[in-house]
């Protein structure tokens, strides 16, 4: 195969994030028994299986081959949330979880309103989304790409909840989450007109801060692009990121400077990308010479990869950003 797709349970980072998410759920559920769980965008069922509930359902178009089946005690609906007929499926969940889905939805408020209309009146909602403030703090401008319609910070997501007729309960940050860090937030449908109000910083201050941040980011990318040319004869990438092409765009390269991209997942050995002409190899299949140079190419795993590379006494380790 020439490409691979993300599955939560197959990724160490994905599993760690899912476990943190489940811990946050436990903290807001406060020991109450969940009668019916609905996981919107449940992927490979990893989250649905680890959250305590008497009944579980996952809806995700990636699960289409198993549509209508029960898999490990989880009902599978392989479709988009917009197409779900709650009454037909007999669904009235009292816990709705949704990880890294809302940013892909064209009309997020409409989705939340639909859930409010069809789920149990006292239902608890726990979402996780990329956090724009974390993204900027981590200097992860590469994490802004075409697959995401929206980027929220805490203030704008609270505003979304309020505008859909809900009320905020609690939140938590995963600073090591995807896209520079994620926001975990719990909310519910409001019984009454909410007294909570949206709070935003002055837009002029925000725009100035974003422009300065992006200008610094472009300067860093230009410097690294220059460094890549110096080490092109003995340079390995490390970390087969799914969004490598986005990083390549900002560096103005196709990564042809790299001998290959190393990755510790042996199942990816020999794979490649449709839009970047570089192959993936497991380190044990690659004769890495002493004092080689390395570029960290998976920005979601910089700390772990840096530690691993450093054990081999490299000549240089290049990191695409300062954060």
């Amino acid at each position: 195969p020439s490409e691979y797709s993300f599955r939560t349970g197959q990724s160490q980072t994905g599993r760690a994030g899912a476990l943190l998410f489940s811990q946050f759920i436990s903290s807001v559920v406060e020991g109450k028994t969940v009668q019916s769980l609905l996981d919107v965008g449940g992927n490979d069922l990893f989250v649905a299986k680890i959250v305590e509930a008497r009944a579980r359902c996952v809806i995700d178009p990636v699960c289409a081959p198993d549509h209508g089946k029960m898999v490990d005690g989880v009902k599978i609906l392989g479709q988009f949330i917009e197409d779900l007929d709650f009454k037909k499926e007999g669904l009235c969940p009292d816990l709705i979880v949704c990880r890294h889905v809302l940013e892909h939805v064209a009309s997020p408020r409409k989705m939340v309103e639909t859930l409010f209309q069809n789920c149990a009146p006292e239902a608890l909602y726990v979402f996780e989304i990329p956090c724009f403030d974390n993204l900027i703090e981590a200097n992860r401008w590469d994490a802004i790409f075409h697959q995401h319609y929206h980027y929220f910070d805490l203030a704008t997501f609270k505003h979304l909840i309020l505008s859909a007729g809900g009320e905020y309960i609690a939140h938590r940050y995963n600073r090591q989450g995807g896209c520079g860090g994620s926001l975990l937030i719990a909310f519910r449908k409001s019984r009454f007109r909410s007294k909570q109000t949206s709070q935003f910083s002055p837009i002029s201050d925000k725009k100035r801060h974003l422009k300065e941040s992006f200008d610094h980011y472009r300067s860093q990318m230009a410097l690294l692009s220059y460094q890549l040319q110096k080490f092109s004869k003995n340079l390995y990438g490390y970390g087969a990121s799914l969004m490598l092409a986005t990083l390549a765009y900002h560096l103005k390269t196709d990564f042809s400077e790299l001998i290959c991209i190393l990755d510790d997942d042996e199942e990816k050995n020999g794979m490649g990308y449709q839009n970047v002409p570089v192959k993936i190899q497991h380190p044990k299949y690659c004769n890495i010479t002493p004092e080689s140079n390395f570029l960290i190419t998976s920005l979601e795993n910089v700390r772990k990869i840096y530690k691993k590379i450093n054990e081999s006494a490299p000549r240089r380790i290049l990191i695409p950003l300062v954060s």
Side-chain angles (χ1 to χ4, degrees), residues 68-128:
K69 298 179 181 178
M70 292 291 294
V71 177
D72 296 333
V74 180
K75 182 178 180 179
I76 308 299
L77 297 175
Q79 59 190 114
F80 289 99
I81 183 68
E82 294 88 348
D83 301 324
L84 176 61
D85 187 328
F86 283 79
K87 291 184 179 179
K88 179 181 177 182
E89 299 296 343
L91 290 175
C92 189
D94 57 340
L95 175 61
I96 299 87
V97 300
C98 182
R99 294 189 71 231
H100 293 288
V101 172
L102 202 68
E103 62 270 24
H104 299 277
V105 176
S107 301
R109 186 173 69 179
K110 183 178 179 181
M111 173 179 156
V112 174
E113 289 172 341
T114 298
L115 290 170
F116 281 164
Q117 293 166 7
N118 290 281
C119 300
E122 302 296 326
L124 176 67
Y125 300 81
V126 185
F127 281 33
E128 181 174 357

Side-chain angles (χ1 to χ4, degrees), residues 225-244:
S225 181
Y226 170 73
Q227 288 180 293
L228 289 179
Q229 299 172 28
K230 294 174 61 178
F231 294 108
S232 63
K233 293 183 180 180
N234 185 16
L235 180 65
Y236 295 88
Y238 210 120
S241 168
L242 283 172
M243 300 308 298
L244 185 69

Side-chain angles (χ1 to χ4, degrees), residues 24-44:
F24 179 66
I25 292 172
S26 297
S27 72
V28 293
V29 168
E30 297 180 330
K32 297 177 184 176
T33 300
V34 176
Q35 300 297 326
S36 176
L37 165 72
L38 174 64
D39 186 347
V40 180
N43 198 263
D44 60 0

Side-chain angles (χ1 to χ4, degrees), residues 170-185:
H171 76 277
R172 178 177 179 177
Y173 293 108
N174 178 4
R175 306 292 185 184
Q176 305 306 315
C179 299
S182 59
L183 170 66
L184 289 65
I185 189 164

Side-chain angles (χ1 to χ4, degrees), residues 208-317:
R208 182 170 59 254
H209 172 64
L210 295 179
K211 183 180 185 307
E212 290 175 354
S213 176
F214 188 57
D215 287 344
H216 290 315
Y217 176 81
R218 289 197 296 183
S219 296
Q220 290 182 37
M221 292 296 102
L223 176 60
L224 181 58
S225 181
Y226 170 73
Q227 288 180 293
L228 289 179
Q229 299 172 28
K230 294 174 61 178
F231 294 108
S232 63
K233 293 183 180 180
N234 185 16
L235 180 65
Y236 295 88
Y238 210 120
S241 168
L242 283 172
M243 300 308 298
L244 185 69
T246 306
L247 180 60
Y249 168 81
H250 288 287
L251 286 172
K252 295 181 171 56
T253 181
D254 62 358
F255 287 123
S256 57
E257 303 96 340
L258 304 181
I259 296 172
C260 67
I261 290 182
L262 303 168
D263 196 275
D264 295 329
D265 184 350
E266 197 165 348
E267 292 186 1
K268 297 175 186 174
N269 186 64
M271 290 186 175
Y273 294 85
Q274 290 185 341
N275 47 10
V276 183
V278 61
K279 288 293 183 182
I280 302 167
Q281 287 191 282
H282 189 277
K284 76 176 184 180
Y285 299 115
C286 195
N287 184 24
I288 302 173
T289 58
E291 292 196 346
S292 292
N293 304 294
F294 297 87
L295 169 69
I296 296 180
T297 45
S298 176
L299 301 186
E300 309 293 349
N301 301 285
V302 170
R303 297 182 187 186
K304 181 177 68 175
I305 293 174
Y306 184 91
K307 182 179 179 181
K308 188 173 185 65
I309 295 173
N310 205 40
E311 292 172 352
S312 64
R315 179 180 175 183
R316 290 286 181 269
I317 303 176

Side-chain angles (χ1 to χ4, degrees), residues 4-15 43-44 46 263 265 267-268 271:
Y4 60 93
S5 58
F6 181 81
R7 292 292 183 272
T8 302
Q10 296 176 3
S11 162
Q12 184 176 345
T13 303
R15 290 194 301 271
N43 198 263
D44 60 0
F46 186 83
D263 196 275
D265 184 350
E267 292 186 1
K268 297 175 186 174
M271 290 186 175

